[in-house]
Amino acid sequence: RKEVEQDPGPFNVPEGATVAFNCTYSNSASQSFFWYRQDCRKEPKLLMSVYSSGNEDGRFTAQLNRASQYISLLIRDSKLSDSATYLCVVAWGPYSGGGADGLTFGKGTHLIIQP
Amino acid sequence: NAGVMQNPRHLVRRRGQEARLRCSPMKGHSHVYWYRQLPEEGLKFMVYLQKENIIDESGMPKERFSAEFPKEGPSILRIQQVVRGDSAAYFCASSRIREGINRDNTEAFFGQGTRLTVV
């Protein structure tokens, strides 16, 4: 099965700091990339998609490095409410016009923002 | 536009009973994924289905577990003869089919999960 690897952490970071984590994927044919956030005992929710050119959404920046097969998430000016588990998600499969490609989730990186 | 609906939210079963977990995907979604999350652990992939087809069941235990996604109705994850180790949160996610060159907006959306407790 295709693999997605993340550092499980926990990352303990003071409020206001910048934190970054990476995720590596094994399948070079991977097509789409996402970051999800999961709060304790709740369902994962989409945080942002990751585009080839990199993208930013407020305090969050996501980047993709296809050559090295990793994606990253940067959180600036971290807030207490950012404490959560961040899941890296990769969609694999060659382009086949609707073929049977699917999603692989990493096990998540646990982030704790401390006051 | 309702999101992914899972029911029941909580399910208690005695050892040896059967558990049936239901998942209705978002409107327009034809891909369904089931994940299991044990306490204090990450999401573990179980099975990926499209309508009437199991695409990938590599994460599903070989015995007692089965899944289906019929042409009509919700996807069902069935666990026969449950044991205490089956106690976990079971999440379902759905996504759109990818067609054509535009492969954007193919992210998955999750239901709120079914928390299974085996006593």
Side-chain angles (χ1 to χ4, degrees):
Chain A
R1 183 166 175 79
K2 290 76 175 177
E3 297 295 332
V4 175
E5 300 287 341
Q6 293 183 253
D7 181 342
F11 283 50
N12 288 283
V13 174
E15 191 176 7
T18 295
V19 60
F21 18 87
N22 289 344
C23 158
T24 59
Y25 57 95
S26 62
N27 185 0
S28 59
S30 299
Q31 296 290 332
S32 305
F33 308 88
F34 310 94
W35 282 103
Y36 279 72
R37 169 191 170 132
Q38 185 177 27
D39 293 287
C40 184
R41 298 180 64 79
K42 294 188 176 180
E43 75 275 22
K45 292 187 178 178
L46 178 68
L47 178 65
M48 58 197 303
S49 301
V50 186
Y51 302 123
S52 295
S53 55
N55 49 300
E56 191 174 304
D57 183 2
R59 297 181 294 108
F60 297 83
T61 301
Q63 293 197 311
L64 167 64
N65 185 318
R66 284 192 184 273
S68 300
Q69 294 183 204
Y70 75 83
I71 67 173
S72 64
L73 179 67
L74 179 82
I75 306 174
R76 290 182 299 278
D77 186 25
S78 54
K79 304 192 182 305
L80 295 175
S81 57
D82 294 334
S83 298
T85 297
Y86 290 84
L87 304 169
C88 170
V89 182
V90 175
W92 73 86
Y95 166 62
S96 56
D101 44 351
L103 299 172
T104 300
F105 281 73
K107 291 186 177 180
T109 295
H110 190 38
L111 175 64
I112 301 171
I113 305 298
Q114 296 173 330
Chain B
N1 186 15
V4 178
M5 304 300 292
Q6 287 189 251
N7 68 81
R9 291 286 305 279
H10 300 274
L11 181 63
V12 179
R13 284 286 177 267
R14 295 186 184 280
R15 281 178 293 171
Q17 290 185 319
E18 178 180 282
R20 281 196 179 203
L21 288 61
R22 294 175 184 76
C23 169
S24 295
M26 283 181 70
K27 186 177 180 181
H29 286 193
S30 58
H31 297 232
V32 166
Y33 311 82
W34 284 95
Y35 293 85
R36 176 164 66 175
Q37 189 167 38
L38 295 168
E40 308 304 322
E41 293 191 13
L43 283 169
K44 183 171 182 287
F45 169 81
M46 298 184 74
V47 62
Y48 163 39
L49 309 106
Q50 294 179 12
K51 284 282 187 183
E52 300 184 278
N53 284 306
I54 295 175
I55 305 303
D56 183 349
E57 57 182 346
S58 59
M60 197 104 94
K62 294 283 188 287
E63 297 177 351
R64 302 187 299 108
F65 286 72
S66 62
E68 62 177 6
F69 188 15
K71 187 176 180 181
E72 301 291 338
S75 175
I76 306 286
L77 178 68
R78 184 182 292 110
I79 311 172
Q80 296 177 308
Q81 299 176 327
V82 296
V83 301
R84 287 219 172 114
D86 296 332
S87 296
Y90 292 82
F91 289 101
C92 166
S94 73
S95 68
R96 281 173 31 187
I97 192 168
R98 298 178 179 83
E99 285 186 345
I101 295 175
N102 180 14
R103 299 171 74 82
D104 287 341
N105 300 318
T106 54
E107 63 269 21
F109 295 87
F110 280 82
Q112 292 182 302
T114 293
R115 279 158 182 78
L116 172 66
T117 303
V118 179
V119 297

